């Protein structure tokens, strides 16, 4: 959490926190963009958040994609004047309200036409947990015993290992000989990263709204991540926070079920805003970020942990190069979630059963430089359906005279 103590979230009315919690610690020095749903035009509008207020910039840039494709997005946005919509606090409050006023604006995920991509197994700890899922075949009760045996067999600190290096190749040969090789070790320490599609364009959720897990899933978790904003050229221009919601029981049965485990209604959350790169915030600062995770259950359960970006096995820029380049083009750019070191093994109910979500869990993902992304867990089948696609967006922008 950026500033407020956990007590600030106890009341139902403000489960999603305040504007101060949602914004970066140095918000007054940050170049922040995002999106709102504007009931007045029955569609989404790009916004700038400055000095605690929200400004509509759709007259200059109809989409966030257009902003992010600029040669220097931060420089242009810092000089933009737009129509004042209201205070960020008021817009945030309306976003998370149980009785949202649909005549007033609310926040959306901060990206629009960008492809939604994610990298997996980018931390040694999460790599080991993927192996455990695979060996347990998605059975939560078997995981604790397998975890102990895998760690004993691995017998190495993989933090300093460079994927694809000669050292990594030697370790691979050793593990194959020992009978504990896995497809997850291949993407964890092999030359090729795991880059997958997290969701369809425009399907991401923003802050202060539900995220979804399938009702049939009995073993699942959030994945707190930093997400990079990447131009069609491959240049990284900003960052935001993300929750790569994962169904561990589904992926554990077979890695071929990854789309089922990862891409469901309301299973991708991004936000609250994009912080554009400038002289105060750049990729080097992203490499040193600490991402906090706080889960608060209606049953009184509490879990708090952090992911240190410095412990990534693969450099963020190297992951971007594997995603985009001569081998694969994204004409509207992409957002790339960078993976997590969070591997929840803390028992929630009975000993040895580990962690899984329950409906009503509040998930807070935070970093001082990016603010706090807050969502409440529901069954994906009960979350608001995604029904505003690319055709709807284009039609809306034409109707408004913006295209």
């Amino acid at each position: 959490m950026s500033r407020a103590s956990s007590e600030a979230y106890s009341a139902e009315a403000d489960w999603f926190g305040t504007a101060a919690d949602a914004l970066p610690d140095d918000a007054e020095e940050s170049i922040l963009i995002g999106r709102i749903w504007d009931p007045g035009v029955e569609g989404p509008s790009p916004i700038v958040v400055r000095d605690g207020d929200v400004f509509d910039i759709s007259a200059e840039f109809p989409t966030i994609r257009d902003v992010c494709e600029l040669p220097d997005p931060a420089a242009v946005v810092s000089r933009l004047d737009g129509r004042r919509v209201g205070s960020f606090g008021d817009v945030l409050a309306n976003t998370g309200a149980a009785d949202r006023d649909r005549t007033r604006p609310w926040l959306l995920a901060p990206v629009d036409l960008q492809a939604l991509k994610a990298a997996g197994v980018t931390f040694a700890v999460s790599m080991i947990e993927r192996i455990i899922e695979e060996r347990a075949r998605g059975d939560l009760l078997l995981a604790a015993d397998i975890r102990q045996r895998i760690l004993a067999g691995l017998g190495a600190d993989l933090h300093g290992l460079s994927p694809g290096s000669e050292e990594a190749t030697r370790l691979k040969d050793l593990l194959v000989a020992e009978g504990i090789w896995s497809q997850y070790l291949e993407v964890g320490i092999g030359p090729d990263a795991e880059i997958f599609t997290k969701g369809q364009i425009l399907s991401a959720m923003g802050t202060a709204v539900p995220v979804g897990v399938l009702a049939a899933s009995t073993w699942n978790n959030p994945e707190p991540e930093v997400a990079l904003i990447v131009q069609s050229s491959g240049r990284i221009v900003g960052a935001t926070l993300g929750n790569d919601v994962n169904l561990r029981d589904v992926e554990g049965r077979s890695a071929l079920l990854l789309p089922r485990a990862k891409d469901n209604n309301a299973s991708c959350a991004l936000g609250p805003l994009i912080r554009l790169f400038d002289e105060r915030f750049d990729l080097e600062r992203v490499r040193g970020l600490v991402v906090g995770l706080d889960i608060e259950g209606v049953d009184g359960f509490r879990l708090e942990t952090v992911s240190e970006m410095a412990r990534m096995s693969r450099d963020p820029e190297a992951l971007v190069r594997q995603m985009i380049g001569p081998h694969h083009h994204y004409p509207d750019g992409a957002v790339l979630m960078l993976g997590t070191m969070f591997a929840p093994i803390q028992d929630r109910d009975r000993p040895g059963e580990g962690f899984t979500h329950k409906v009503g869990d509040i998930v807070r993902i935070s970093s001082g430089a990016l603010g706090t992304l807050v969502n409440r867990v529901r069954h994906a089948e009960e979350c608001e359906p995604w029904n505003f696609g690319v055709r709807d967006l284009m039609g809306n922008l034409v109707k408004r005279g913006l295209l």
Side-chain angles (χ1 to χ4, degrees):
M1 285 173 282
S2 297
R3 300 173 186 78
S5 66
S6 60
E7 286 77 17
Y9 296 101
S10 59
E12 173 66 22
D14 62 354
W15 65 269
F16 46 85
T18 66
D21 303 315
L23 295 173
D25 289 342
D26 56 346
E28 65 283 353
E29 297 178 346
S30 306
I31 310 297
L32 303 170
I33 60 173
R35 293 194 309 143
I36 58 168
W37 183 269
D38 185 349
V41 297
E42 299 180 325
S45 290
I47 59 168
V48 172
V49 176
R50 183 183 299 135
D51 298 326
D53 285 333
V54 175
F55 298 90
D56 181 339
I57 58 170
S58 60
E60 294 287 339
F61 298 101
T63 68
I64 286 293
R65 177 266 182 204
D66 294 328
V67 177
C68 293
E69 287 293 308
L70 292 167
D72 189 347
V76 173
V77 170
S78 67
R79 299 190 297 266
L80 272 183
D81 291 320
R83 175 182 64 85
R84 184 181 181 276
V85 174
S87 75
F88 180 76
D90 286 346
V91 176
L92 175 65
N94 192 46
T95 305
D99 55 346
R100 178 187 293 168
D101 184 348
R102 293 189 173 271
T103 68
R104 297 167 49 215
W106 62 86
L107 291 171
L108 301 173
V111 298
D112 42 42
L113 294 176
Q114 293 94 338
L116 302 179
K117 308 295 287 188
V121 201
T122 57
F123 290 80
V125 172
S126 64
M127 175 181 66
I128 292 168
E129 285 300 310
R130 298 290 88 76
I131 297 170
I132 293 165
E133 287 172 11
E134 179 185 43
R135 295 293 175 101
R137 302 291 185 189
D139 187 337
L140 179 61
L141 296 177
L142 295 177
D145 179 62
I146 294 173
R147 181 176 295 107
Q148 184 177 2
R149 289 189 284 112
I150 287 288
L151 291 175
L154 205 53
D157 180 3
L158 303 181
H159 169 55
L161 193 67
S162 177
S165 66
E166 291 184 7
E167 184 183 4
T169 301
R170 286 195 297 270
L171 178 59
K172 173 181 176 179
D173 293 340
L174 173 64
L175 293 170
V176 169
E178 292 293 327
I180 57 173
W181 180 248
S182 161
Q183 58 197 336
Y184 291 103
L185 281 169
E186 177 64 48
V187 296
I189 66 176
D192 297 317
E194 179 191 20
I195 307 288
F196 60 91
T197 297
K198 176 59 183 174
Q200 298 305 301
I201 292 170
L202 290 173
S203 68
M205 310 303 292
T207 195
V209 296
V211 291
V213 299
L214 293 183
S217 175
T218 58
W219 188 16
N220 48 70
N221 62 265
E223 294 190 0
E225 307 185 11
V226 172
L228 297 179
I229 310 302
V230 184
Q231 289 184 342
S232 59
S233 66
R235 179 172 167 238
I236 306 166
V237 297
T240 189
L241 293 169
N243 185 353
D244 175 14
V245 180
N246 185 38
L247 309 183
R248 299 187 71 183
D249 49 356
V250 174
E251 185 180 358
R253 281 160 42 209
S254 171
L256 295 178
L257 291 173
L258 185 70
R260 181 68 168 169
K262 293 286 191 177
D263 184 4
N264 296 293
N265 186 42
S267 65
C268 175
L270 295 167
L273 302 164
I274 294 169
R275 182 168 183 176
L276 294 172
F277 284 179
D278 58 10
E279 65 275 7
R280 300 180 187 86
F281 182 71
D282 56 15
L283 186 58
E284 191 57 35
R285 191 166 170 195
V286 167
R287 290 184 175 106
L289 291 180
V290 175
V291 179
L293 173 68
D294 180 10
I295 302 172
E296 182 181 343
V298 294
D299 56 353
F301 175 83
R302 192 67 178 267
L303 187 153
E304 295 180 82
T305 188
V306 297
S307 283
E308 301 173 18
M309 296 296 292
R311 296 184 64 84
M312 286 186 67
S313 303
R314 297 182 188 270
D315 185 71
E317 195 166 29
L319 288 170
V320 170
R321 289 198 301 269
Q322 292 218 21
M323 178 190 71
I324 189 170
H327 63 290
H328 204 311
H329 303 276
Y330 294 91
D332 293 309
V335 53
L336 176 63
M337 302 172 77
L338 294 176
T340 183
M341 66 179 286
F342 174 60
I345 60 175
Q346 178 179 330
D347 291 331
R348 181 164 194 172
D349 292 319
R350 290 178 292 276
E353 290 193 357
F355 170 84
T356 193
H357 269 311
K358 294 186 178 182
V359 170
D361 282 354
I362 297 173
V363 180
R364 304 181 188 95
I365 298 170
S366 60
S367 183
L370 294 171
T372 304
L373 171 67
V374 188
N375 300 100
R376 173 170 275 160
V377 175
R378 295 180 63 184
H379 288 145
E381 298 90 339
E382 298 172 358
C383 291
E384 186 173 351
W386 170 48
N387 53 20
F388 190 87
V390 175
R391 175 61 180 84
D392 299 289
L393 175 61
M394 295 300 107
N396 179 263
L397 294 179
V398 168
K399 181 180 178 181
R400 294 158 61 182
L402 299 177
L403 285 184

